[in-house]
């Protein structure tokens, strides 16, 4: 539903070449995302769609070239703006968090147009941002925010059309890109940004199901997972060369999930893969090696009810907890990461109020903090990762202002950082792992 309208907004904004767009205010974005009874339709914006029958009817790949050259300076108020109080009845213990002492302005850096997702690579101290409007991915220093190659232009590398998701495989020195309008996943060198196979985007891009969104790598099993929102499947690839993991075909390597799968999380400790299904209001557990359903051999037995319109997902093997951001419910739900049971017995008791339209989330087990990006509140909220309590006692005190239309978020415990992208203006903001701005 909202994913459909967000895709429309991105396409409209790109066509007009206007940043900021006429939809920049929270009120206008809210109006744009009004529920009219539709969800992501599942149709791919190219000829042919992929299904679990094993046959694909798509041909060729897009070979966009060039790099982005946008410039600009950061702006912001550097103050917290979250409001409201929690309505979950789970726990009341409040975590103690020490906020950074910087400002929003000093901690925000210009990206390409319409940044969508972000991923960190602690091994190389690199940060990667997909720019949906520029058809690029930008490399940053993950500690300082400096461009990896000195300027935005020289640190941004071509992708196919409208990049969406990004994932890192530090073992293979690869990053993976999915697209909001193209049924492909692309492999790029994580150091140089060059296409990983054959030196071209075409050779390095592999057919997925339609409308691929979430993407996660499993270096231990040498597997790559892609959630296909339009096909209602997840596909397993070889993480090094991009070939299909099973039987050499898309069909044999794709497994049915709920309606409109959006995000994926991996738990190597339990060998489980989790997928949020935004159209079914469920999260599904899979065997991360075989693709089999985790419980009872069926989709139904392996799927658990979330709040309305689940999007982001993260797992905390240390605490054995799974977290789901529920867009339409404005909550985050805590599950047992092994069994799928609610952490506090019921959905209501295990769900905690976030800002407006929580979209993405990430957990820092070392700091025991869960960070959630709130698209229409233009904030990121910090929760206690074990109890669900606000990190600083209240929603307002635990929420920090970000750029307008806040989307992707990642954490980097090694650098003591949380990263969140805002689409208008096109920025990435660095926060302290325990809350507050980094610089």
């Amino acid at each position: 539903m909202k994913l459909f309208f967000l895709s429309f907004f991105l396409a409209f904004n790109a066509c007009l070449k206007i940043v900021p767009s006429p939809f920049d205010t929270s009120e206008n974005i809210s109006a744009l995302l009004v529920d009219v009874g539709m969800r992501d339709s599942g149709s791919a914006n190219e000829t042919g769609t992929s299904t679990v029958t094993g046959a694909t009817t798509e041909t060729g790949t897009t070979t966009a070239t060039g790099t982005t050259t946008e410039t600009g300076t950061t702006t912001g108020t550097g103050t917290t703006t979250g409001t409201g109080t929690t309505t979950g009845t789970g726990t009341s213990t409040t975590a103690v968090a020490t906020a950074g002492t910087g400002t929003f302005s000093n901690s925000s850096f210009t990206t390409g147009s319409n940044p969508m997702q972000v991923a960190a690579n602690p091994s190389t101290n690199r940060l990667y941002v997909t720019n949906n409007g520029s058809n690029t991915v930008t490399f940053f220093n993950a500690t300082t925010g400096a461009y990896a190659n000195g300027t935005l232009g020289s640190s941004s590398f071509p992708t196919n059309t409208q990049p969406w998701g990004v994932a890192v495989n530090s073992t293979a020195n690869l990053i993976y890109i999915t697209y909001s309008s193209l049924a492909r996943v692309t492999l790029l060198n994580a150091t140089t940004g060059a296409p990983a196979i054959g030196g071209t985007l075409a050779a390095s891009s592999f057919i997925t199901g339609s409308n691929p969104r979430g993407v996660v790598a499993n270096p231990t099993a040498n597997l790559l997972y892609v959630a296909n929102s339009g096909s209602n499947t997840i596909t397993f690839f070889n993480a090094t060369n991009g070939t299909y993991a099973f039987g050499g075909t898309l069909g044999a390597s794709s497994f049915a999930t709920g309606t409109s799968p959006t995000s994926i999380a991996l738990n190597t400790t339990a060998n489980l893969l989790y997928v949020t299904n935004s159209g079914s209001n469920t999260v599904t557990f899979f065997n991360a090696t075989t693709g089999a359903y985790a419980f009872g051999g069926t989709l139904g037995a392996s799927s658990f009810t979330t709040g309305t319109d689940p999007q982001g997902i993260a797992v905390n093997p240390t605490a054995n907890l799974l977290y789901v951001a529920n867009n339409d419910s404005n909550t985050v739900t805590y599950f047992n990461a092994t069994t799928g049971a609610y952490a506090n017995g019921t959905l209501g008791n295990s769900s905690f109020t976030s800002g407006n339209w929580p979209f993405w989330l990430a957990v820092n087990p070392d700091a025991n903090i869960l960070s959630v990006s709130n698209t229409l509140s233009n904030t990121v909220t910090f929760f206690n990762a074990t109890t669900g309590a606000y990190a600083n006692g209240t929603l307002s005190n635990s929420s920090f202002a970000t750029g307008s239309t806040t989307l992707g978020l990642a954490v980097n415990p090694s650098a003591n950082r949380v990263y969140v992208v805002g689409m208008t203006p096109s920025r990435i903001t660095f926060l302290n792992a325990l809350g507050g701005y980094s610089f």
Side-chain angles (χ1 to χ4, degrees):
M1 179 192 61
K2 286 182 178 177
L3 192 59
F4 171 84
F5 288 106
L6 180 58
S7 297
F8 168 79
F9 166 61
L10 290 170
F12 180 77
N13 198 30
C15 289
L16 291 181
K17 302 295 183 183
I18 295 174
V19 179
S21 82
F23 302 116
D24 284 349
T25 66
S26 294
E27 292 81 4
N28 285 333
I29 296 171
S30 296
L32 180 68
L33 298 176
V34 167
D35 186 352
V36 294
M38 295 178 61
R39 292 187 181 270
D40 198 339
S41 63
S43 59
N45 295 324
E46 52 188 326
T47 57
T49 57
S50 306
T51 67
V52 292
T53 59
T56 178
T57 58
E58 298 173 291
T59 59
T61 58
T62 304
T63 57
T65 59
T67 58
T68 181
T69 57
E70 292 99 325
T71 59
T73 58
T74 60
T75 60
T77 60
T79 60
T80 61
T81 60
T83 60
T85 57
T86 181
T87 58
T89 60
T91 59
S92 58
T93 303
T94 300
V96 177
T98 303
T101 58
T103 66
F104 172 71
S105 179
N106 289 340
S107 304
S108 298
F109 305 91
T110 301
T111 65
S113 175
N114 292 350
M116 187 61 57
Q117 293 291 347
V118 56
N121 187 346
S123 298
T124 60
N125 196 37
R126 283 287 180 265
L127 188 68
Y128 312 98
V129 176
T130 52
N131 305 303
N132 192 269
S134 300
N135 300 331
T136 58
V137 56
T138 302
F139 289 33
F140 292 85
N141 181 299
T143 304
T144 67
Y147 297 120
N149 295 324
T151 67
L152 175 61
S154 61
S155 304
S156 299
F157 303 94
T159 66
N160 292 307
T161 304
Q162 294 186 308
W164 181 280
V166 58
V168 178
N169 183 339
S170 57
T171 302
N173 194 37
L174 293 170
I175 61 171
Y176 310 93
I177 310 293
T178 59
Y179 303 90
S180 58
S181 62
L182 184 70
R184 298 289 188 276
V185 59
T186 301
L187 283 64
L188 300 177
N189 183 291
T191 304
T192 67
I197 300 172
T200 67
L201 282 176
S204 302
S205 298
F206 301 88
I207 296 174
T208 65
S210 65
N211 294 346
R213 290 293 191 260
V215 56
V216 169
N218 183 345
T220 303
N222 194 34
L223 289 171
L224 177 70
Y225 315 101
V226 174
N228 307 302
S229 184
S231 301
N232 300 329
T233 60
I234 57 169
T235 302
F236 287 41
F237 295 86
N238 180 296
T240 306
N241 60 32
T243 58
Y244 297 118
F246 307 114
T249 67
L250 176 63
S253 303
S254 298
F255 303 91
T257 185
T259 304
S260 298
T262 302
S263 305
I264 305 176
L266 172 67
N267 184 343
T268 55
T269 301
N271 194 36
L272 288 172
L273 189 69
Y274 314 97
V275 181
T276 54
N277 307 300
S278 63
S280 300
N281 299 328
T282 58
V283 57
T284 302
F285 289 40
F286 292 87
N287 181 295
T289 306
T290 67
Y293 297 120
F295 307 113
T298 66
L299 175 62
S302 303
S303 299
F304 303 90
T305 300
T306 65
T308 307
D309 196 14
Q311 295 285 336
I313 188 170
V315 64
N316 183 348
T318 303
N320 193 35
L321 288 171
L322 180 71
Y323 315 98
V324 173
N326 307 301
N327 284 186
D328 282 352
S329 300
N330 295 330
T331 59
V332 176
T333 303
Y334 287 40
F335 294 85
N336 181 296
T338 306
T339 66
Y342 297 120
N344 294 323
T346 67
L347 176 62
N349 288 344
S350 305
S351 298
F352 305 92
T353 300
S354 186
N356 193 7
W357 194 22
F359 181 70
W360 223 249
L361 42 71
V363 64
N364 183 338
D366 296 342
N368 194 36
I369 293 291
L370 178 71
S371 305
V372 182
S373 65
N374 306 301
T375 299
L376 297 184
S377 296
N378 302 324
T379 59
V380 57
T381 301
F382 290 70
F383 293 86
N384 181 298
T386 306
T387 68
Y390 297 122
N392 293 322
T394 67
L395 175 60
S396 178
N397 290 341
S398 304
S399 299
F400 300 86
T402 61
S404 181
T405 318
T406 303
L407 294 172
L409 180 147
V411 300
N412 183 351
S414 299
N416 193 39
R417 296 283 186 264
V418 175
Y419 315 101
V420 59
V421 295
M423 197 165 66
T424 49
S426 298
R427 301 285 187 269
I428 181 167
T429 301
F430 286 44
L431 295 99
N432 187 287
L434 295 179
Y437 304 108
S438 296
F439 310 112

